[in-house]
mmCIF file of all heavy atoms in Angstrom:
data_model
loop_
_atom_site.group_PDB
_atom_site.id
_atom_site.type_symbol
_atom_site.label_atom_id
_atom_site.label_comp_id
_atom_site.label_asym_id
_atom_site.label_seq_id
_atom_site.Cartn_x
_atom_site.Cartn_y
_atom_site.Cartn_z
ATOM 1 N N MET A 1 0.808 -1.212 0.000
ATOM 2 C CA MET A 1 0.000 0.000 0.000
ATOM 3 C C MET A 1 0.846 1.269 0.000
ATOM 4 O O MET A 1 0.511 2.242 -0.683
ATOM 5 C CB MET A 1 -0.919 0.004 1.235
ATOM 6 C CG MET A 1 -1.909 -1.143 1.261
ATOM 7 S SD MET A 1 -3.089 -1.067 -0.089
ATOM 8 C CE MET A 1 -3.812 0.513 0.222
ATOM 9 N N VAL A 2 1.911 1.301 0.786
ATOM 10 C CA VAL A 2 2.703 2.526 0.937
ATOM 11 C C VAL A 2 3.933 2.505 0.043
ATOM 12 O O VAL A 2 4.184 3.449 -0.712
ATOM 13 C CB VAL A 2 3.117 2.732 2.411
ATOM 14 C CG1 VAL A 2 3.977 3.991 2.553
ATOM 15 C CG2 VAL A 2 1.877 2.826 3.300
ATOM 16 N N ASN A 3 4.708 1.418 0.122
ATOM 17 C CA ASN A 3 5.959 1.351 -0.652
ATOM 18 C C ASN A 3 5.725 0.995 -2.113
ATOM 19 O O ASN A 3 6.558 1.303 -2.968
ATOM 20 C CB ASN A 3 6.913 0.342 -0.016
ATOM 21 C CG ASN A 3 7.302 0.731 1.395
ATOM 22 O OD1 ASN A 3 7.185 1.890 1.780
ATOM 23 N ND2 ASN A 3 7.755 -0.235 2.175
ATOM 24 N N GLY A 4 4.621 0.286 -2.403
ATOM 25 C CA GLY A 4 4.309 -0.064 -3.787
ATOM 26 C C GLY A 4 5.204 -1.141 -4.371
ATOM 27 O O GLY A 4 5.200 -1.361 -5.586
ATOM 28 N N ARG A 5 5.954 -1.833 -3.536
ATOM 29 C CA ARG A 5 6.837 -2.915 -3.998
ATOM 30 C C ARG A 5 6.722 -4.064 -3.000
ATOM 31 O O ARG A 5 6.937 -3.873 -1.795
ATOM 32 C CB ARG A 5 8.298 -2.456 -4.107
ATOM 33 C CG ARG A 5 8.504 -1.227 -4.964
ATOM 34 C CD ARG A 5 9.984 -0.923 -5.182
ATOM 35 N NE ARG A 5 10.563 -1.835 -6.150
ATOM 36 C CZ ARG A 5 10.533 -1.655 -7.472
ATOM 37 N NH1 ARG A 5 9.924 -0.595 -7.981
ATOM 38 N NH2 ARG A 5 11.100 -2.515 -8.292
ATOM 39 N N THR A 6 6.394 -5.247 -3.496
ATOM 40 C CA THR A 6 6.160 -6.356 -2.584
ATOM 41 C C THR A 6 6.188 -7.678 -3.320
ATOM 42 O O THR A 6 6.492 -7.728 -4.526
ATOM 43 C CB THR A 6 4.814 -6.167 -1.852
ATOM 44 O OG1 THR A 6 4.726 -7.100 -0.770
ATOM 45 C CG2 THR A 6 3.627 -6.375 -2.787
ATOM 46 N N VAL A 7 5.866 -8.768 -2.602
ATOM 47 C CA VAL A 7 5.735 -10.101 -3.190
ATOM 48 C C VAL A 7 4.295 -10.561 -2.977
ATOM 49 O O VAL A 7 3.435 -9.778 -2.567
ATOM 50 C CB VAL A 7 6.739 -11.095 -2.552
ATOM 51 C CG1 VAL A 7 8.167 -10.672 -2.842
ATOM 52 C CG2 VAL A 7 6.509 -11.243 -1.046
ATOM 53 N N CYS A 8 4.027 -11.836 -3.243
ATOM 54 C CA CYS A 8 2.644 -12.323 -3.199
ATOM 55 C C CYS A 8 1.955 -12.049 -1.863
ATOM 56 O O CYS A 8 0.767 -11.717 -1.820
ATOM 57 C CB CYS A 8 2.604 -13.816 -3.516
ATOM 58 S SG CYS A 8 3.495 -14.867 -2.328
ATOM 59 N N ALA A 9 2.706 -12.200 -0.762
ATOM 60 C CA ALA A 9 2.097 -11.989 0.553
ATOM 61 C C ALA A 9 1.593 -10.557 0.694
ATOM 62 O O ALA A 9 0.503 -10.317 1.231
ATOM 63 C CB ALA A 9 3.110 -12.318 1.651
ATOM 64 N N GLY A 10 2.368 -9.595 0.232
ATOM 65 C CA GLY A 10 1.967 -8.197 0.318
ATOM 66 C C GLY A 10 0.750 -7.898 -0.538
ATOM 67 O O GLY A 10 -0.167 -7.173 -0.112
ATOM 68 N N TYR A 11 0.722 -8.416 -1.778
ATOM 69 C CA TYR A 11 -0.463 -8.264 -2.626
ATOM 70 C C TYR A 11 -1.710 -8.783 -1.901
ATOM 71 O O TYR A 11 -2.751 -8.112 -1.846
ATOM 72 C CB TYR A 11 -0.308 -9.075 -3.914
ATOM 73 C CG TYR A 11 0.504 -8.474 -5.024
ATOM 74 C CD1 TYR A 11 1.873 -8.679 -5.111
ATOM 75 C CD2 TYR A 11 -0.096 -7.733 -6.045
ATOM 76 C CE1 TYR A 11 2.630 -8.173 -6.162
ATOM 77 C CE2 TYR A 11 0.639 -7.219 -7.111
ATOM 78 C CZ TYR A 11 2.005 -7.443 -7.160
ATOM 79 O OH TYR A 11 2.748 -6.941 -8.216
ATOM 80 N N ALA A 12 -1.602 -10.021 -1.379
ATOM 81 C CA ALA A 12 -2.757 -10.677 -0.777
ATOM 82 C C ALA A 12 -3.213 -9.970 0.495
ATOM 83 O O ALA A 12 -4.419 -9.847 0.759
ATOM 84 C CB ALA A 12 -2.428 -12.138 -0.477
ATOM 85 N N ARG A 13 -2.267 -9.482 1.294
ATOM 86 C CA ARG A 13 -2.635 -8.803 2.531
ATOM 87 C C ARG A 13 -3.308 -7.453 2.235
ATOM 88 O O ARG A 13 -4.258 -7.069 2.927
ATOM 89 C CB ARG A 13 -1.388 -8.573 3.388
ATOM 90 C CG ARG A 13 -0.613 -9.828 3.742
ATOM 91 C CD ARG A 13 -1.208 -10.610 4.852
ATOM 92 N NE ARG A 13 -0.917 -9.989 6.131
ATOM 93 C CZ ARG A 13 -1.473 -10.367 7.284
ATOM 94 N NH1 ARG A 13 -2.375 -11.335 7.284
ATOM 95 N NH2 ARG A 13 -1.153 -9.788 8.419
ATOM 96 N N ALA A 14 -2.825 -6.751 1.224
ATOM 97 C CA ALA A 14 -3.441 -5.481 0.850
ATOM 98 C C ALA A 14 -4.853 -5.702 0.299
ATOM 99 O O ALA A 14 -5.795 -4.969 0.645
ATOM 100 C CB ALA A 14 -2.579 -4.757 -0.185
ATOM 101 N N PHE A 15 -5.024 -6.704 -0.551
ATOM 102 C CA PHE A 15 -6.331 -7.029 -1.123
ATOM 103 C C PHE A 15 -7.314 -7.395 0.000
ATOM 104 O O PHE A 15 -8.466 -6.942 0.021
ATOM 105 C CB PHE A 15 -6.173 -8.180 -2.104
ATOM 106 C CG PHE A 15 -7.370 -8.442 -2.970
ATOM 107 C CD1 PHE A 15 -7.763 -7.539 -3.942
ATOM 108 C CD2 PHE A 15 -8.109 -9.613 -2.834
ATOM 109 C CE1 PHE A 15 -8.865 -7.777 -4.760
ATOM 110 C CE2 PHE A 15 -9.206 -9.874 -3.640
ATOM 111 C CZ PHE A 15 -9.584 -8.940 -4.600
ATOM 112 N N GLN A 16 -6.840 -8.208 0.946
ATOM 113 C CA GLN A 16 -7.662 -8.606 2.087
ATOM 114 C C GLN A 16 -8.101 -7.385 2.896
ATOM 115 O O GLN A 16 -9.291 -7.247 3.224
ATOM 116 C CB GLN A 16 -6.862 -9.563 2.975
ATOM 117 C CG GLN A 16 -7.561 -10.000 4.254
ATOM 118 C CD GLN A 16 -6.613 -10.749 5.192
ATOM 119 O OE1 GLN A 16 -5.392 -10.643 5.071
ATOM 120 N NE2 GLN A 16 -7.170 -11.492 6.137
ATOM 121 N N TYR A 17 -7.169 -6.511 3.199
ATOM 122 C CA TYR A 17 -7.487 -5.334 4.015
ATOM 123 C C TYR A 17 -8.525 -4.452 3.331
ATOM 124 O O TYR A 17 -9.516 -4.024 3.954
ATOM 125 C CB TYR A 17 -6.219 -4.527 4.300
ATOM 126 C CG TYR A 17 -6.498 -3.227 5.011
ATOM 127 C CD1 TYR A 17 -6.742 -3.201 6.374
ATOM 128 C CD2 TYR A 17 -6.552 -2.026 4.295
ATOM 129 C CE1 TYR A 17 -7.018 -2.008 7.028
ATOM 130 C CE2 TYR A 17 -6.829 -0.830 4.941
ATOM 131 C CZ TYR A 17 -7.069 -0.825 6.312
ATOM 132 O OH TYR A 17 -7.362 0.353 6.946
ATOM 133 N N LEU A 18 -8.317 -4.151 2.069
ATOM 134 C CA LEU A 18 -9.203 -3.225 1.363
ATOM 135 C C LEU A 18 -10.615 -3.791 1.235
ATOM 136 O O LEU A 18 -11.601 -3.065 1.425
ATOM 137 C CB LEU A 18 -8.622 -2.904 -0.016
ATOM 138 C CG LEU A 18 -7.328 -2.081 0.013
ATOM 139 C CD1 LEU A 18 -6.679 -2.069 -1.365
ATOM 140 C CD2 LEU A 18 -7.592 -0.662 0.509
ATOM 141 N N LEU A 19 -10.729 -5.091 0.934
ATOM 142 C CA LEU A 19 -12.073 -5.672 0.826
ATOM 143 C C LEU A 19 -12.751 -5.732 2.186
ATOM 144 O O LEU A 19 -13.970 -5.558 2.294
ATOM 145 C CB LEU A 19 -12.007 -7.061 0.197
ATOM 146 C CG LEU A 19 -11.657 -7.108 -1.296
ATOM 147 C CD1 LEU A 19 -12.003 -8.465 -1.887
ATOM 148 C CD2 LEU A 19 -12.347 -6.017 -2.098
ATOM 149 N N GLN A 20 -11.990 -5.995 3.243
ATOM 150 C CA GLN A 20 -12.576 -5.958 4.582
ATOM 151 C C GLN A 20 -13.180 -4.586 4.868
ATOM 152 O O GLN A 20 -14.277 -4.477 5.433
ATOM 153 C CB GLN A 20 -11.514 -6.273 5.642
ATOM 154 C CG GLN A 20 -11.137 -7.751 5.754
ATOM 155 C CD GLN A 20 -10.062 -7.979 6.808
ATOM 156 O OE1 GLN A 20 -9.392 -7.040 7.239
ATOM 157 N NE2 GLN A 20 -9.887 -9.222 7.220
ATOM 158 N N GLN A 21 -12.468 -3.529 4.483
ATOM 159 C CA GLN A 21 -12.957 -2.162 4.706
ATOM 160 C C GLN A 21 -14.233 -1.888 3.912
ATOM 161 O O GLN A 21 -15.044 -1.041 4.310
ATOM 162 C CB GLN A 21 -11.883 -1.139 4.327
ATOM 163 C CG GLN A 21 -10.591 -1.259 5.107
ATOM 164 C CD GLN A 21 -10.800 -1.255 6.603
ATOM 165 O OE1 GLN A 21 -11.355 -0.304 7.156
ATOM 166 N NE2 GLN A 21 -10.374 -2.314 7.273
ATOM 167 N N LEU A 22 -14.401 -2.596 2.815
ATOM 168 C CA LEU A 22 -15.591 -2.429 1.969
ATOM 169 C C LEU A 22 -16.732 -3.352 2.383
ATOM 170 O O LEU A 22 -17.777 -3.392 1.732
ATOM 171 C CB LEU A 22 -15.230 -2.693 0.501
ATOM 172 C CG LEU A 22 -14.290 -1.660 -0.139
ATOM 173 C CD1 LEU A 22 -13.749 -2.185 -1.465
ATOM 174 C CD2 LEU A 22 -15.016 -0.319 -0.333
ATOM 175 N N GLY A 23 -16.525 -4.107 3.469
ATOM 176 C CA GLY A 23 -17.568 -5.008 3.949
ATOM 177 C C GLY A 23 -17.676 -6.301 3.161
ATOM 178 O O GLY A 23 -18.707 -6.972 3.200
ATOM 179 N N ILE A 24 -16.622 -6.657 2.442
ATOM 180 C CA ILE A 24 -16.614 -7.890 1.645
ATOM 181 C C ILE A 24 -15.692 -8.901 2.324
ATOM 182 O O ILE A 24 -14.491 -8.642 2.456
ATOM 183 C CB ILE A 24 -16.115 -7.627 0.214
ATOM 184 C CG1 ILE A 24 -16.972 -6.562 -0.463
ATOM 185 C CG2 ILE A 24 -16.107 -8.918 -0.606
ATOM 186 C CD1 ILE A 24 -16.437 -6.109 -1.812
ATOM 187 N N PRO A 25 -16.197 -10.040 2.784
ATOM 188 C CA PRO A 25 -15.325 -11.034 3.415
ATOM 189 C C PRO A 25 -14.226 -11.490 2.457
ATOM 190 O O PRO A 25 -14.500 -11.900 1.323
ATOM 191 C CB PRO A 25 -16.272 -12.191 3.749
ATOM 192 C CG PRO A 25 -17.613 -11.539 3.875
ATOM 193 C CD PRO A 25 -17.615 -10.456 2.829
ATOM 194 N N CYS A 26 -12.988 -11.369 2.906
ATOM 195 C CA CYS A 26 -11.837 -11.729 2.081
ATOM 196 C C CYS A 26 -10.785 -12.339 2.990
ATOM 197 O O CYS A 26 -10.434 -11.748 4.020
ATOM 198 C CB CYS A 26 -11.278 -10.493 1.375
ATOM 199 S SG CYS A 26 -9.840 -10.820 0.330
ATOM 200 N N TYR A 27 -10.284 -13.518 2.622
ATOM 201 C CA TYR A 27 -9.392 -14.270 3.484
ATOM 202 C C TYR A 27 -8.000 -14.409 2.871
ATOM 203 O O TYR A 27 -7.855 -14.494 1.642
ATOM 204 C CB TYR A 27 -9.966 -15.657 3.755
ATOM 205 C CG TYR A 27 -11.417 -15.648 4.177
ATOM 206 C CD1 TYR A 27 -12.306 -16.636 3.748
ATOM 207 C CD2 TYR A 27 -11.913 -14.624 4.994
ATOM 208 C CE1 TYR A 27 -13.637 -16.619 4.135
ATOM 209 C CE2 TYR A 27 -13.240 -14.597 5.374
ATOM 210 C CZ TYR A 27 -14.104 -15.600 4.940
ATOM 211 O OH TYR A 27 -15.428 -15.564 5.315
ATOM 212 N N TYR A 28 -7.026 -14.452 3.719
ATOM 213 C CA TYR A 28 -5.624 -14.665 3.336
ATOM 214 C C TYR A 28 -5.410 -16.167 3.243
ATOM 215 O O TYR A 28 -5.597 -16.900 4.210
ATOM 216 C CB TYR A 28 -4.739 -14.049 4.409
ATOM 217 C CG TYR A 28 -3.254 -14.077 4.156
ATOM 218 C CD1 TYR A 28 -2.690 -13.421 3.068
ATOM 219 C CD2 TYR A 28 -2.394 -14.723 5.040
ATOM 220 C CE1 TYR A 28 -1.319 -13.403 2.867
ATOM 221 C CE2 TYR A 28 -1.021 -14.715 4.854
ATOM 222 C CZ TYR A 28 -0.493 -14.055 3.769
ATOM 223 O OH TYR A 28 0.876 -14.047 3.580
ATOM 224 N N CYS A 29 -5.047 -16.635 2.067
ATOM 225 C CA CYS A 29 -4.911 -18.070 1.806
ATOM 226 C C CYS A 29 -3.457 -18.386 1.454
ATOM 227 O O CYS A 29 -2.867 -17.718 0.592
ATOM 228 C CB CYS A 29 -5.832 -18.479 0.653
ATOM 229 S SG CYS A 29 -5.834 -20.249 0.290
ATOM 230 N N THR A 30 -2.883 -19.382 2.103
ATOM 231 C CA THR A 30 -1.482 -19.729 1.859
ATOM 232 C C THR A 30 -1.361 -21.169 1.391
ATOM 233 O O THR A 30 -2.189 -22.019 1.720
ATOM 234 C CB THR A 30 -0.640 -19.543 3.132
ATOM 235 O OG1 THR A 30 -1.113 -20.424 4.160
ATOM 236 C CG2 THR A 30 -0.710 -18.106 3.622
ATOM 237 N N GLY A 31 -0.307 -21.421 0.618
ATOM 238 C CA GLY A 31 -0.128 -22.775 0.116
ATOM 239 C C GLY A 31 1.058 -22.889 -0.810
ATOM 240 O O GLY A 31 2.092 -22.235 -0.608
ATOM 241 N N TYR A 32 0.873 -23.682 -1.856
ATOM 242 C CA TYR A 32 1.974 -24.026 -2.763
ATOM 243 C C TYR A 32 1.557 -23.741 -4.199
ATOM 244 O O TYR A 32 0.454 -24.108 -4.628
ATOM 245 C CB TYR A 32 2.314 -25.509 -2.598
ATOM 246 C CG TYR A 32 3.396 -26.010 -3.528
ATOM 247 C CD1 TYR A 32 4.739 -25.797 -3.236
ATOM 248 C CD2 TYR A 32 3.068 -26.706 -4.692
ATOM 249 C CE1 TYR A 32 5.738 -26.261 -4.086
ATOM 250 C CE2 TYR A 32 4.054 -27.175 -5.543
ATOM 251 C CZ TYR A 32 5.387 -26.956 -5.235
ATOM 252 O OH TYR A 32 6.376 -27.417 -6.084
ATOM 253 N N ALA A 33 2.429 -23.064 -4.933
ATOM 254 C CA ALA A 33 2.207 -22.808 -6.361
ATOM 255 C C ALA A 33 3.567 -22.879 -7.049
ATOM 256 O O ALA A 33 4.067 -21.891 -7.580
ATOM 257 C CB ALA A 33 1.550 -21.455 -6.578
ATOM 258 N N GLY A 34 4.179 -24.043 -6.978
ATOM 259 C CA GLY A 34 5.547 -24.204 -7.434
ATOM 260 C C GLY A 34 6.528 -23.901 -6.317
ATOM 261 O O GLY A 34 7.601 -24.489 -6.225
ATOM 262 N N GLU A 35 6.158 -22.966 -5.460
ATOM 263 C CA GLU A 35 6.888 -22.575 -4.249
ATOM 264 C C GLU A 35 5.842 -22.082 -3.251
ATOM 265 O O GLU A 35 4.656 -22.031 -3.560
ATOM 266 C CB GLU A 35 7.897 -21.467 -4.570
ATOM 267 C CG GLU A 35 8.958 -21.853 -5.587
ATOM 268 C CD GLU A 35 9.590 -20.639 -6.249
ATOM 269 O OE1 GLU A 35 9.485 -19.544 -5.673
ATOM 270 O OE2 GLU A 35 10.166 -20.795 -7.331
ATOM 271 N N ASN A 36 6.274 -21.714 -2.053
ATOM 272 C CA ASN A 36 5.342 -21.159 -1.075
ATOM 273 C C ASN A 36 4.693 -19.899 -1.648
ATOM 274 O O ASN A 36 5.379 -19.021 -2.166
ATOM 275 C CB ASN A 36 6.069 -20.825 0.228
ATOM 276 C CG ASN A 36 6.482 -22.069 0.993
ATOM 277 O OD1 ASN A 36 5.905 -23.134 0.814
ATOM 278 N ND2 ASN A 36 7.482 -21.943 1.848
ATOM 279 N N HIS A 37 3.379 -19.828 -1.516
ATOM 280 C CA HIS A 37 2.646 -18.762 -2.198
ATOM 281 C C HIS A 37 1.446 -18.332 -1.363
ATOM 282 O O HIS A 37 0.963 -19.072 -0.497
ATOM 283 C CB HIS A 37 2.175 -19.278 -3.566
ATOM 284 C CG HIS A 37 1.623 -18.216 -4.472
ATOM 285 N ND1 HIS A 37 2.241 -17.012 -4.676
ATOM 286 C CD2 HIS A 37 0.485 -18.185 -5.233
ATOM 287 C CE1 HIS A 37 1.530 -16.283 -5.527
ATOM 288 N NE2 HIS A 37 0.457 -16.969 -5.861
ATOM 289 N N ALA A 38 0.958 -17.115 -1.615
ATOM 290 C CA ALA A 38 -0.222 -16.592 -0.935
ATOM 291 C C ALA A 38 -1.155 -15.956 -1.950
ATOM 292 O O ALA A 38 -0.713 -15.323 -2.910
ATOM 293 C CB ALA A 38 0.184 -15.566 0.128
ATOM 294 N N TRP A 39 -2.447 -16.130 -1.743
ATOM 295 C CA TRP A 39 -3.471 -15.508 -2.568
ATOM 296 C C TRP A 39 -4.693 -15.252 -1.682
ATOM 297 O O TRP A 39 -4.555 -15.226 -0.453
ATOM 298 C CB TRP A 39 -3.811 -16.363 -3.795
ATOM 299 C CG TRP A 39 -4.388 -17.732 -3.530
ATOM 300 C CD1 TRP A 39 -5.705 -18.094 -3.561
ATOM 301 C CD2 TRP A 39 -3.662 -18.936 -3.228
ATOM 302 N NE1 TRP A 39 -5.851 -19.434 -3.298
ATOM 303 C CE2 TRP A 39 -4.612 -19.983 -3.094
ATOM 304 C CE3 TRP A 39 -2.316 -19.250 -3.056
ATOM 305 C CZ2 TRP A 39 -4.258 -21.301 -2.787
ATOM 306 C CZ3 TRP A 39 -1.950 -20.561 -2.753
ATOM 307 C CH2 TRP A 39 -2.906 -21.572 -2.623
ATOM 308 N N ASN A 40 -5.882 -15.043 -2.249
ATOM 309 C CA ASN A 40 -7.065 -14.711 -1.449
ATOM 310 C C ASN A 40 -8.253 -15.582 -1.805
ATOM 311 O O ASN A 40 -8.339 -16.138 -2.893
ATOM 312 C CB ASN A 40 -7.465 -13.245 -1.651
ATOM 313 C CG ASN A 40 -6.424 -12.274 -1.154
ATOM 314 O OD1 ASN A 40 -5.653 -11.729 -1.946
ATOM 315 N ND2 ASN A 40 -6.370 -12.061 0.143
ATOM 316 N N ILE A 41 -9.160 -15.664 -0.847
ATOM 317 C CA ILE A 41 -10.483 -16.238 -1.072
ATOM 318 C C ILE A 41 -11.505 -15.160 -0.732
ATOM 319 O O ILE A 41 -11.427 -14.531 0.335
ATOM 320 C CB ILE A 41 -10.702 -17.492 -0.210
ATOM 321 C CG1 ILE A 41 -9.835 -18.641 -0.748
ATOM 322 C CG2 ILE A 41 -12.175 -17.889 -0.179
ATOM 323 C CD1 ILE A 41 -9.880 -19.899 0.075
#
């Protein structure tokens, strides 16, 4: 959000935060995508 440079975890955490503020349930999901990876539900 502030630095504008990140990896998958930062993308997913920012997406989660913003949707939460909009009243949309959004979860931080972790797992494997060739390597350790994070995305959202």
Side-chain angles (χ1 to χ4, degrees):
M1 298 296 301
V2 178
N3 298 340
R5 306 187 76 86
T6 192
V7 296
C8 63
Y11 279 89
R13 303 281 283 171
F15 192 68
Q16 176 190 19
Y17 174 79
L18 292 168
L19 289 196
Q20 284 179 344
Q21 300 307 301
L22 292 167
I24 303 172
C26 180
Y27 311 142
Y28 184 62
C29 183
T30 62
Y32 177 81
E35 299 159 20
N36 289 337
H37 190 46
W39 62 99
N40 296 101
I41 289 176

